[in-house]
Amino acid sequence: IGLNYADTSCQITAPELARKISPNLMNKLRNGSMDGRLEEIVTMLQRKNELTGETDLVVIKRIAKSDEVLRKEFWEYRIDAVEKIQTFARKFKNGDNDWELMSDVDKMHVRVFALLYGGEYSDSENPIFKAISHVVDISKDAISIHAVPGYMNERTDPNSYMIQQVAKRNIEKSVNAPFIVSLSWGSASDLDGRIKMVHTGETISYHQMSSHDGQTYLNFDANASCPTKEPVETFTLSSKSPGKYIFMVNNYHTRGNEDIIPFAVILNLNGEIQVFEDSWDCRIRGNNNNDNESKMIHMCTVEITKEMISSLNTEYGLSSKQANRLGRLLLKFKEKFGCVTTTIANMSLLGENVTILKSTSLRNNKSLHTGRREGEDDANNKINE
């Protein structure tokens, strides 16, 4: 990996290393998709509180070690990875406080280091770089220092974490259906979901991904050929015809030396969410690559009724009494204010002479330590809040 400019030429990695990097990771280096998170690590997490002189990361690290945080091991390696990236970035000019002011060559050095940290550069993504987003989110989202322990515990709660993981992946895969069931786990092993359609006798899995009528199907599989450490599989259940479904979980292949693989099944019926948790004991069950249903774990039975389907098509409207009252109010409104229109400003309307102001942090300069915007007194702070 190298960079060439009119005034400089720089080789950042040895050719033999560059050849090992997967095409997906190479694209991340080239297209700048990493830069948002790196800017947060270099700029936001290194900003110092005016009163204590501590950076956001120092505060987060201290809280992570406290008795208030339940799963310290979850945060330890994530915080360590952020520290390693910050230490490397500080070798370069402006790497101690401002990503935007770093040179293009220096930024590429940091990108390569961050992406290859941990040595997993042959996969489709680096799970460590992906995992450190949890640390960044604390600095962005926590209301104050007192809210951080609760935020950390919520992030590591299996129910909360798995639901977030499923929701994120379903958005990425454009899943948009009222009745869905998802399988989520936290390892590179290849678990599989399976649906038995009791009312038709069909089975939906990676073998047969859709029912004959096309209304019930597997949206996406996970960890078959390109394993990740945050896999999700999602199935869509028919919203056209009533039916009864049995959801099962199978371990097709164990990767690594895992004895137990915890997992969760998240059932989402038009916004009503249920979570079913269990684990696959590899010491007892082993692998089931023959798809023997008697060895699979039966997780839940789901019934979609006519009433559930009908409720999806319910139209809500005003009664005649409400409509008449609204009509009278609208006439009064027009008498006082006329016909109100709204214009949405855009760049073409604003013209060329526009100054774009960029916030110095993604949290509107609100200090993680005190919950107070920097440079404001208490009275102004109350007004702004």
Side-chain angles (χ1 to χ4, degrees):
I1 302 171
L3 292 173
N4 293 292
Y5 297 96
D7 57 343
T8 185
S9 179
C10 178
Q11 180 176 293
I12 293 177
T13 67
E16 58 269 19
L17 176 59
R19 283 193 290 269
K20 294 180 182 179
I21 298 174
S22 70
N24 285 338
L25 292 190
M26 190 68 78
N27 286 336
K28 290 180 182 293
L29 292 170
R30 290 172 175 159
N31 63 22
S33 61
M34 302 172 60
D35 287 12
R37 190 172 301 166
L38 287 174
E39 181 175 7
E40 292 163 346
I41 292 170
V42 171
T43 305
M44 185 174 69
L45 289 177
Q46 290 194 116
R47 64 182 172 193
K48 292 183 178 180
N49 178 268
E50 292 181 351
L51 298 176
T52 66
E54 292 182 313
T55 66
D56 276 16
L57 185 64
V58 169
V59 176
I60 291 169
K61 184 178 181 180
R62 185 176 68 248
I63 294 174
K65 293 180 178 180
S66 71
D67 293 337
E68 294 179 271
V69 175
L70 301 178
R71 291 187 58 196
K72 297 176 177 58
E73 75 284 353
F74 178 91
W75 297 100
E76 186 175 350
Y77 86 88
R78 288 169 166 83
I79 292 172
D80 181 68
V82 173
E83 285 185 316
K84 292 289 195 304
I85 294 172
Q86 287 183 346
T87 300
F88 185 80
R90 285 196 288 268
K91 295 180 179 180
F92 306 100
K93 185 178 180 181
N94 297 310
D96 60 342
N97 61 10
D98 199 324
W99 172 261
E100 287 298 323
L101 294 180
M102 294 178 68
S103 72
D104 289 328
V105 173
D106 292 347
K107 284 181 181 179
M108 183 60 83
H109 275 287
V110 178
R111 289 188 195 107
V112 171
F113 177 85
L115 202 58
L116 305 190
Y117 176 72
E120 301 190 44
Y121 42 77
S122 59
D123 295 332
S124 60
E125 59 184 355
N126 184 319
I128 294 179
F129 185 71
K130 183 178 180 180
I132 61 180
S133 63
H134 292 284
V135 181
V136 172
D137 288 345
I138 294 174
S139 186
K140 291 196 303 184
D141 299 338
I143 299 172
S144 69
I145 189 172
H146 305 293
V148 173
Y151 186 94
M152 286 181 160
N153 291 334
E154 182 183 353
R155 275 298 180 99
T156 56
D157 176 71
N159 280 356
S160 175
Y161 180 70
M162 290 297 187
I163 290 172
Q164 291 173 4
Q165 184 171 309
V166 165
K168 180 179 178 181
R169 194 56 53 87
N170 284 342
I171 290 172
E172 290 173 354
K173 298 290 186 177
S174 301
V175 177
N176 184 21
F179 308 133
I180 59 176
V181 56
S182 300
L183 169 64
S184 177
W185 65 106
S187 77
S189 294
D190 185 13
L191 298 187
D192 288 311
R194 173 175 292 219
I195 287 181
K196 292 279 291 183
M197 300 176 63
V198 178
H199 52 293
T200 66
E202 297 175 86
T203 298
I204 309 301
S205 68
Y206 68 93
H207 284 302
Q208 180 179 327
M209 298 182 65
S210 177
S211 59
H212 292 307
D213 61 9
Q215 296 175 12
T216 300
Y217 50 89
L218 171 63
N219 294 79
F220 53 89
D221 191 20
N223 278 12
S225 56
C226 298
T228 72
K229 291 186 178 180
E230 291 185 335
V232 171
E233 292 187 0
T234 290
F235 295 78
T236 290
L237 308 180
S238 174
S239 58
K240 304 293 184 183
S241 306
K244 189 174 183 180
Y245 307 86
I246 298 173
F247 191 83
M248 297 175 285
V249 174
N250 182 46
N251 179 24
Y252 185 83
H253 176 59
T254 305
R255 291 189 174 95
N257 298 317
E258 292 185 286
D259 292 330
I260 295 178
I261 307 172
F263 61 83
V265 173
I266 291 87
L267 177 64
N268 187 339
L269 300 180
N270 199 27
E272 294 186 10
I273 296 175
Q274 288 181 274
V275 180
F276 305 88
E277 293 182 78
D278 208 327
S279 59
W280 188 281
D281 193 329
C282 303
R283 298 164 298 186
I284 299 173
R285 295 179 177 272
N287 295 333
N288 185 24
N289 47 27
N290 293 324
D291 290 335
N292 185 342
E293 283 192 9
S294 65
K295 294 183 178 181
M296 297 182 187
I297 300 177
H298 291 230
M299 290 300 296
C300 60
T301 299
V302 185
E303 186 164 6
I304 307 298
T305 64
K306 291 181 179 179
E307 291 75 20
M308 293 168 68
I309 294 172
S310 297
S311 68
L312 300 175
N313 303 315
T314 301
E315 294 185 2
Y316 297 93
L318 298 174
S319 66
S320 57
K321 183 177 179 180
Q322 290 170 325
N324 291 334
R325 182 172 182 273
L326 179 60
R328 291 193 299 271
L329 289 174
L330 287 175
L331 288 174
K332 291 181 179 179
F333 183 88
K334 288 182 179 180
E335 288 175 5
K336 288 189 175 184
F337 302 105
C339 184
V340 178
T341 61
T342 301
T343 301
I344 305 299
N346 56 51
M347 296 306 294
S348 61
L349 291 175
L350 291 173
E352 296 179 357
N353 299 321
V354 178
T355 300
I356 304 298
L357 300 179
K358 184 172 183 179
S359 173
T360 56
S361 91
L362 298 181
R363 294 172 65 253
N364 197 24
N365 285 335
K366 185 183 285 186
S367 170
L368 176 63
H369 308 262
T370 63
R372 180 180 301 155
R373 290 184 178 87
E374 297 165 7
E376 293 178 348
D377 58 28
D378 289 337
N380 285 336
N381 187 49
K382 289 180 181 178
I383 292 171
N384 284 321
E385 289 296 340

